[in-house]
Amino acid sequence: MNTITAAAQRPRHHAMEIATLVAHILLGGLGIALALGALVLFLASPAHAAGDTTVAMPAAAAGQGTLLLRAADGSTHAVPVLDTEVDIRVSGPLARARVVQTFRNPGEAWQEGIYVFPLPDNAAVDRMRLRIGERIVEGEIREREEARATFEQARERGQRAALVEQERPNLFTTSVANIPPGAEVKVEIEYQQTLDYQIIDGSGRYSLRFPMVVGPRYIPGDALTGEDRGRTRGTDQVADAGRISPPVLHPSAGLINPVRLRVELDAGVPVAALDSPYHAIRSSAPTPSRRVVELAAGATPANRDFVLTWTLAAGQAPRVALFVERGEKLDHALLMLVPPQLPAGERPLPRDVVFIIDTSGSMEGTSIVQAREALALALRRLGPQDRFNVIEFNSITSALYDGVRDATPERIEQATRWVRSLQARGGTEMAPALSAALDRGEDPARVRQVIFLTDGAVGNEEALFRLIEERLGDARLFTVGIGSAPNSHFMRKAAAAGRGTFTYIGNVDEVQARMSELFARLETPLLKGIEIRWPEGTEADQWPRKLPDLYAGEPLVVAVALKKADGEVQVSGWGREVRWQSAVDLRQANTGSGLGALWARQRIDALMDSLRAGAAEDEVRQEVIAVALAHRLTSRYTSLVAVDRTPVRPADSALQGGAMPTNLPHGWEHEAVFGQLPMGATDARLNLLLGTLALLACALLWALQRRRPQAAAAL
């Protein structure tokens, strides 16, 4: 086995080296025993990030309806309880969602709630309301610093206020100030998104995913001083770690944050099948093309993503969907087009396939089982003309071979046994594994594919995207999201940076189907060099500007702003010496709403991506702010704020509460994530090491004191 390890990422190995060195120095059996005992303590001690508040006391322990959060110093404070209602309306490939978060204060003190929650990674959040009884306060979009200052001023004045901030494209924070004792405050958030769509075996399949929980994320780097509002402090690599690391409820306290969800679906054509793989649902069919879906249990704890898929009736899969939203100055359009099945070559090009599997602590439980099964299946799909290697990573990175090897039956069997023996442990150091997989010379006679199986539970996404773009070369990176709550922003963006695709596996029962679909795409001809020609004389601002490569059954989705949506659009591309082209008439488009927000969201994403290419942040910031303010969108630089102008909290009443806990994602093992060496910014490892060294120093002094009488007697 070849081991590839970054020198800075070997805490356990360094601990072993230090303890061994000191043990050699120590004289006598007691010194060695103490050294080994200290080492055992160092390696076995449970880890908690700085400021860790992962244990919450349930209502049964704290009094009816009260949730107490225990801080690292042992003190407790009450936090509001939360209910969430989700209403999603689907029209073809578009979805409009309304999320209502109800913050209840069952205690006797005035409360503040800070709740970190996920949304779809392509959600364009464009509206927020604060509901206080029958009163509604409409949220305003402002620059982030201004919105934060407005909220904090209202909080100090005793006014009820709400603030929605974007931490990542798929991760947001709602802050609510001055919730009266025994009262509740509702915060409504609305967003627009496009849905995932594929044509599989001739049938069209849509997928809607609503994420419900933020999984604990690995935070690399050295801790910074300053704000400590979450489970861990910011670091020199992830400065906002505290904002994306909410307290996690210990499983012994039960589950919190119930979610009620309803989907009204209008597919536009007859629906053949409807499936919710992770939640029981009840549904009705008012017409062949419509469905109304609700959770069968009425509510579900927010501990895993909700996914709804529907397959269209045979022969009804649309290959073109075009929507236009007319405006006073600009029209906005959304084009979704699926190229036809291209003829395959006589023989597929031989491939070099490198598999990366995440074996960090967050994968412990059902996730590692899914990952092992998926990888074992992928190995069996290799052909005799292919070469392969397998890389696993946690705190360190290890490769099965020191390079790609021929996919002989013997090697595939060896690799399968090795994969099935893998266990989840340690931190999530992705960079060395990605570097190892991508750091190879290019061979024009072979196709290089990297298949990355992970839950994406990291906070340093931008650094990893930069690494992928710098090292990709002629390879393609395909991400496979594993577990009940993967970081979809990382998974999708990493695949885009790697010119590949993202596949989601949320249940071990799906491994066969999802991996078979992925490999069917990888083995089909690629459509490259795609171009769009908008009508002559039309000024079109299209996003994405650089169009991705497409595999069979994958749609091209483009959002565009035009002076006038009129005329014919020409789309073309190349696939193995075969040129494909198609034409779409803008005048025959369906009427859409919210398309301007979708176009603006894609433009903002592209502007943020330009920072990795060296664009000046001041210029990018100003462009993002201009687009976000014009379309009322949250972004890294803009937030939504709402303030009830009437002060309600008496000046002499203190404000309690703060960061609200979340559930551990379904299938995760609490001890694997928190009960081992620190997996983030923390001084706990340093404290353990210092304690170990102190113990060894005491042993050394004891040994020296014993030797002195012996030396004196010898004289």
Side-chain angles (χ1 to χ4, degrees), residues 339-353:
Q341 181 78 40
L342 299 176
E346 294 182 3
R347 293 182 58 189
L349 287 175
R351 298 180 297 158
D352 285 348
V353 185

PDB file of all heavy atoms in Angstrom, residues 339-353:
ATOM      1  N   PRO A 339     -29.917  17.042 -25.617  1.00  0.00           N
ATOM      2  CA  PRO A 339     -29.496  16.528 -26.924  1.00  0.00           C
ATOM      3  C   PRO A 339     -29.961  15.090 -27.113  1.00  0.00           C
ATOM      4  O   PRO A 339     -30.177  14.356 -26.136  1.00  0.00           O
ATOM      5  CB  PRO A 339     -27.963  16.611 -26.868  1.00  0.00           C
ATOM      6  CG  PRO A 339     -27.669  17.581 -25.774  1.00  0.00           C
ATOM      7  CD  PRO A 339     -28.779  17.414 -24.777  1.00  0.00           C
ATOM      8  N   PRO A 340     -30.081  14.641 -28.353  1.00  0.00           N
ATOM      9  CA  PRO A 340     -30.493  13.252 -28.607  1.00  0.00           C
ATOM     10  C   PRO A 340     -29.366  12.283 -28.274  1.00  0.00           C
ATOM     11  O   PRO A 340     -28.214  12.676 -28.099  1.00  0.00           O
ATOM     12  CB  PRO A 340     -30.805  13.255 -30.105  1.00  0.00           C
ATOM     13  CG  PRO A 340     -29.904  14.321 -30.661  1.00  0.00           C
ATOM     14  CD  PRO A 340     -29.858  15.393 -29.602  1.00  0.00           C
ATOM     15  N   GLN A 341     -29.706  10.994 -28.199  1.00  0.00           N
ATOM     16  CA  GLN A 341     -28.697   9.953 -27.984  1.00  0.00           C
ATOM     17  C   GLN A 341     -27.780   9.922 -29.195  1.00  0.00           C
ATOM     18  O   GLN A 341     -28.224   9.802 -30.334  1.00  0.00           O
ATOM     19  CB  GLN A 341     -29.383   8.595 -27.799  1.00  0.00           C
ATOM     20  CG  GLN A 341     -28.434   7.446 -27.543  1.00  0.00           C
ATOM     21  CD  GLN A 341     -27.942   7.422 -26.116  1.00  0.00           C
ATOM     22  OE1 GLN A 341     -28.716   7.678 -25.198  1.00  0.00           O
ATOM     23  NE2 GLN A 341     -26.672   7.127 -25.927  1.00  0.00           N
ATOM     24  N   LEU A 342     -26.489  10.068 -28.962  1.00  0.00           N
ATOM     25  CA  LEU A 342     -25.520  10.061 -30.051  1.00  0.00           C
ATOM     26  C   LEU A 342     -25.047   8.639 -30.320  1.00  0.00           C
ATOM     27  O   LEU A 342     -24.986   7.812 -29.414  1.00  0.00           O
ATOM     28  CB  LEU A 342     -24.324  10.950 -29.704  1.00  0.00           C
ATOM     29  CG  LEU A 342     -24.647  12.425 -29.475  1.00  0.00           C
ATOM     30  CD1 LEU A 342     -23.397  13.176 -29.034  1.00  0.00           C
ATOM     31  CD2 LEU A 342     -25.231  13.052 -30.726  1.00  0.00           C
ATOM     32  N   PRO A 343     -24.690   8.326 -31.574  1.00  0.00           N
ATOM     33  CA  PRO A 343     -24.214   6.963 -31.870  1.00  0.00           C
ATOM     34  C   PRO A 343     -22.890   6.685 -31.176  1.00  0.00           C
ATOM     35  O   PRO A 343     -22.000   7.527 -31.154  1.00  0.00           O
ATOM     36  CB  PRO A 343     -24.055   6.978 -33.395  1.00  0.00           C
ATOM     37  CG  PRO A 343     -23.880   8.422 -33.753  1.00  0.00           C
ATOM     38  CD  PRO A 343     -24.714   9.174 -32.765  1.00  0.00           C
ATOM     39  N   ALA A 344     -22.777   5.502 -30.600  1.00  0.00           N
ATOM     40  CA  ALA A 344     -21.543   5.128 -29.908  1.00  0.00           C
ATOM     41  C   ALA A 344     -20.502   4.654 -30.910  1.00  0.00           C
ATOM     42  O   ALA A 344     -20.828   4.187 -32.004  1.00  0.00           O
ATOM     43  CB  ALA A 344     -21.834   4.025 -28.899  1.00  0.00           C
ATOM     44  N   GLY A 345     -19.242   4.802 -30.544  1.00  0.00           N
ATOM     45  CA  GLY A 345     -18.165   4.313 -31.386  1.00  0.00           C
ATOM     46  C   GLY A 345     -18.093   2.797 -31.329  1.00  0.00           C
ATOM     47  O   GLY A 345     -18.740   2.139 -30.527  1.00  0.00           O
ATOM     48  N   GLU A 346     -17.280   2.223 -32.214  1.00  0.00           N
ATOM     49  CA  GLU A 346     -17.150   0.772 -32.224  1.00  0.00           C
ATOM     50  C   GLU A 346     -16.560   0.263 -30.907  1.00  0.00           C
ATOM     51  O   GLU A 346     -16.969  -0.758 -30.376  1.00  0.00           O
ATOM     52  CB  GLU A 346     -16.278   0.340 -33.401  1.00  0.00           C
ATOM     53  CG  GLU A 346     -16.918   0.641 -34.754  1.00  0.00           C
ATOM     54  CD  GLU A 346     -16.040   0.156 -35.892  1.00  0.00           C
ATOM     55  OE1 GLU A 346     -14.978  -0.446 -35.615  1.00  0.00           O
ATOM     56  OE2 GLU A 346     -16.413   0.370 -37.054  1.00  0.00           O
ATOM     57  N   ARG A 347     -15.546   0.988 -30.407  1.00  0.00           N
ATOM     58  CA  ARG A 347     -14.941   0.601 -29.138  1.00  0.00           C
ATOM     59  C   ARG A 347     -14.779   1.838 -28.273  1.00  0.00           C
ATOM     60  O   ARG A 347     -14.321   2.873 -28.747  1.00  0.00           O
ATOM     61  CB  ARG A 347     -13.564  -0.037 -29.367  1.00  0.00           C
ATOM     62  CG  ARG A 347     -13.600  -1.362 -30.081  1.00  0.00           C
ATOM     63  CD  ARG A 347     -12.191  -1.913 -30.209  1.00  0.00           C
ATOM     64  NE  ARG A 347     -11.558  -2.074 -28.904  1.00  0.00           N
ATOM     65  CZ  ARG A 347     -10.263  -2.366 -28.767  1.00  0.00           C
ATOM     66  NH1 ARG A 347      -9.484  -2.486 -29.820  1.00  0.00           N
ATOM     67  NH2 ARG A 347      -9.760  -2.511 -27.554  1.00  0.00           N
ATOM     68  N   PRO A 348     -15.141   1.746 -27.007  1.00  0.00           N
ATOM     69  CA  PRO A 348     -14.933   2.909 -26.139  1.00  0.00           C
ATOM     70  C   PRO A 348     -13.446   3.135 -25.909  1.00  0.00           C
ATOM     71  O   PRO A 348     -12.640   2.201 -25.940  1.00  0.00           O
ATOM     72  CB  PRO A 348     -15.633   2.496 -24.841  1.00  0.00           C
ATOM     73  CG  PRO A 348     -15.613   1.001 -24.860  1.00  0.00           C
ATOM     74  CD  PRO A 348     -15.726   0.609 -26.301  1.00  0.00           C
ATOM     75  N   LEU A 349     -13.072   4.384 -25.691  1.00  0.00           N
ATOM     76  CA  LEU A 349     -11.682   4.695 -25.396  1.00  0.00           C
ATOM     77  C   LEU A 349     -11.286   4.061 -24.067  1.00  0.00           C
ATOM     78  O   LEU A 349     -12.077   4.033 -23.124  1.00  0.00           O
ATOM     79  CB  LEU A 349     -11.481   6.211 -25.318  1.00  0.00           C
ATOM     80  CG  LEU A 349     -11.501   6.981 -26.636  1.00  0.00           C
ATOM     81  CD1 LEU A 349     -11.408   8.480 -26.348  1.00  0.00           C
ATOM     82  CD2 LEU A 349     -10.369   6.545 -27.550  1.00  0.00           C
ATOM     83  N   PRO A 350     -10.067   3.517 -23.977  1.00  0.00           N
ATOM     84  CA  PRO A 350      -9.627   2.970 -22.685  1.00  0.00           C
ATOM     85  C   PRO A 350      -9.540   4.075 -21.644  1.00  0.00           C
ATOM     86  O   PRO A 350      -9.234   5.226 -21.960  1.00  0.00           O
ATOM     87  CB  PRO A 350      -8.251   2.379 -23.000  1.00  0.00           C
ATOM     88  CG  PRO A 350      -7.795   3.096 -24.227  1.00  0.00           C
ATOM     89  CD  PRO A 350      -9.037   3.397 -25.012  1.00  0.00           C
ATOM     90  N   ARG A 351      -9.828   3.717 -20.383  1.00  0.00           N
ATOM     91  CA  ARG A 351      -9.913   4.718 -19.328  1.00  0.00           C
ATOM     92  C   ARG A 351      -8.904   4.446 -18.225  1.00  0.00           C
ATOM     93  O   ARG A 351      -8.574   3.301 -17.925  1.00  0.00           O
ATOM     94  CB  ARG A 351     -11.321   4.722 -18.719  1.00  0.00           C
ATOM     95  CG  ARG A 351     -12.435   5.075 -19.678  1.00  0.00           C
ATOM     96  CD  ARG A 351     -13.777   5.044 -18.973  1.00  0.00           C
ATOM     97  NE  ARG A 351     -14.106   3.711 -18.477  1.00  0.00           N
ATOM     98  CZ  ARG A 351     -14.978   3.467 -17.498  1.00  0.00           C
ATOM     99  NH1 ARG A 351     -15.587   4.480 -16.899  1.00  0.00           N
ATOM    100  NH2 ARG A 351     -15.235   2.240 -17.110  1.00  0.00           N
ATOM    101  N   ASP A 352      -8.433   5.532 -17.614  1.00  0.00           N
ATOM    102  CA  ASP A 352      -7.745   5.472 -16.335  1.00  0.00           C
ATOM    103  C   ASP A 352      -8.726   6.013 -15.301  1.00  0.00           C
ATOM    104  O   ASP A 352      -9.054   7.206 -15.321  1.00  0.00           O
ATOM    105  CB  ASP A 352      -6.476   6.325 -16.341  1.00  0.00           C
ATOM    106  CG  ASP A 352      -5.357   5.676 -17.123  1.00  0.00           C
ATOM    107  OD1 ASP A 352      -5.474   4.489 -17.470  1.00  0.00           O
ATOM    108  OD2 ASP A 352      -4.358   6.366 -17.414  1.00  0.00           O
ATOM    109  N   VAL A 353      -9.210   5.159 -14.413  1.00  0.00           N
ATOM    110  CA  VAL A 353     -10.231   5.547 -13.443  1.00  0.00           C
ATOM    111  C   VAL A 353      -9.612   5.517 -12.046  1.00  0.00           C
ATOM    112  O   VAL A 353      -9.100   4.487 -11.608  1.00  0.00           O
ATOM    113  CB  VAL A 353     -11.455   4.608 -13.488  1.00  0.00           C
ATOM    114  CG1 VAL A 353     -12.539   5.116 -12.557  1.00  0.00           C
ATOM    115  CG2 VAL A 353     -11.983   4.490 -14.912  1.00  0.00           C
TER     116      VAL A 353
END
